[in-house]
Amino acid sequence: KNEVEQSPQNLTAQEGEFITINCSYSVGISALHWLQQHPGGGIVSLFMLSSGKKKHGRLIATINIQEKHSSLHITASHPRDSAVYICAVFTGNQFYFGTGTSLTVIP
Amino acid sequence: SAVISQKPSRDICQRGTSLTIQCQVDSQVTMMFWYRQQPGQSLTLIATANQGSEATYESGFVIDKFPISRPNLTFSTLTVSNLSPEDSSIYLCSVEVQEKLFFGSGTQLSVL
């Protein structure tokens, strides 16, 4: 059993669509991270959440600690958003990673 | 923020040899993390390295195979020992600074 489950695994969207990626976890956490990895590129940290909601540009991340669930939303998606998005949770001394969501945005 | 310099970026090694990967951070950090990422898969945490103490290894990873050094708060090395083709992968380090995770650019290892 994976401590972190992401859905969907793969997602294809038309440019301009609203996108949601979900992350559920089964362990107690002190923080949750959303990461972005472009093909052949490095990994970039998008958000760290411990409660509530954060917004950066077209990206919004929310977390519900009681339900052990987080979502990453992308508004007005663009082809440059095509990447793998990874959810990672930190328990205080250990990281667990989701298997990633591969997003392709078609012009 | 933090900038991590990871070396080498790639290497091709013979079976039975070892490869040491270095990560240098431009600021002092307490915890440094080492990962493996196999083709098409997400990250797998190998170990957490704290300065001044033994690294903490995740299930399935052992010190004899993946020895780690952490001599100070800005530097760490991961050695992949007794290489086999199954060790072919990308290896990455990361640190957490001001609520963000920063990653090295990765080391692509191919074992012949």
Side-chain angles (χ1 to χ4, degrees):
Chain A
K1 179 185 182 301
N2 293 329
E3 288 80 1
V4 181
E5 299 278 356
Q6 272 186 249
S7 64
Q9 277 193 306
N10 297 285
L11 181 57
T12 301
Q14 292 289 328
E15 183 173 358
E17 284 186 8
F18 180 85
I19 289 163
T20 295
I21 300 171
N22 295 299
C23 175
S24 296
Y25 53 92
S26 59
V27 293
I29 69 168
S30 60
L32 182 145
H33 295 260
W34 281 103
L35 310 172
Q36 180 192 56
Q37 185 174 32
H38 283 280
I43 300 173
V44 175
S45 179
L46 299 175
F47 296 103
M48 192 223 69
L49 297 160
S50 54
S51 65
K53 174 181 174 179
K54 287 189 177 178
K55 184 176 189 292
H56 181 70
R58 296 180 294 106
L59 301 178
I60 303 167
T62 64
I63 188 168
N64 185 317
I65 297 294
Q66 287 73 32
E67 294 185 3
K68 295 189 173 180
H69 181 269
S70 175
S71 293
L72 176 68
H73 306 284
I74 304 175
T75 61
S77 60
H78 190 277
R80 65 175 174 266
D81 297 325
S82 298
V84 174
Y85 293 84
I86 301 169
C87 171
V89 299
F90 186 56
T91 64
N93 57 14
Q94 195 166 5
F95 271 104
Y96 296 99
F97 292 86
T99 52
T101 295
S102 179
L103 170 65
T104 302
V105 181
I106 300 170
Chain B
S1 69
V3 176
I4 302 177
S5 173
Q6 184 172 344
K7 296 177 182 179
S9 58
R10 61 180 65 234
D11 206 342
I12 301 172
C13 298
Q14 295 294 324
R15 185 193 300 255
T17 63
S18 299
L19 176 70
T20 295
I21 302 165
Q22 301 179 2
C23 277
Q24 177 78 50
V25 190
D26 68 347
S27 57
Q28 294 185 335
V29 293
T30 304
M31 298 167 75
M32 188 174 287
F33 306 94
W34 286 98
Y35 310 84
R36 183 172 69 188
Q37 186 175 32
Q38 293 179 311
Q41 298 190 20
S42 188
L43 300 165
T44 300
L45 183 64
I46 296 171
T48 302
N50 291 326
Q51 193 270 335
S53 63
E54 292 287 329
T56 302
Y57 289 83
E58 299 304 308
S59 175
F61 297 97
V62 295
I63 188 171
D64 289 346
K65 176 68 174 177
F66 298 98
I68 287 172
S69 77
R70 187 79 203 275
N72 57 54
L73 291 173
T74 64
F75 186 79
S76 180
T77 67
L78 169 75
T79 299
V80 189
S81 303
N82 190 23
L83 289 168
S84 68
E86 293 71 36
D87 296 319
S88 297
S89 187
I90 295 174
Y91 293 85
L92 302 106
C93 61
S94 82
V95 299
E96 185 179 18
V97 175
Q98 295 180 339
E99 301 186 347
K100 283 198 167 185
L101 280 174
F102 295 89
F103 286 81
S105 53
T107 297
Q108 184 163 351
L109 170 62
S110 298
V111 183
L112 303 179

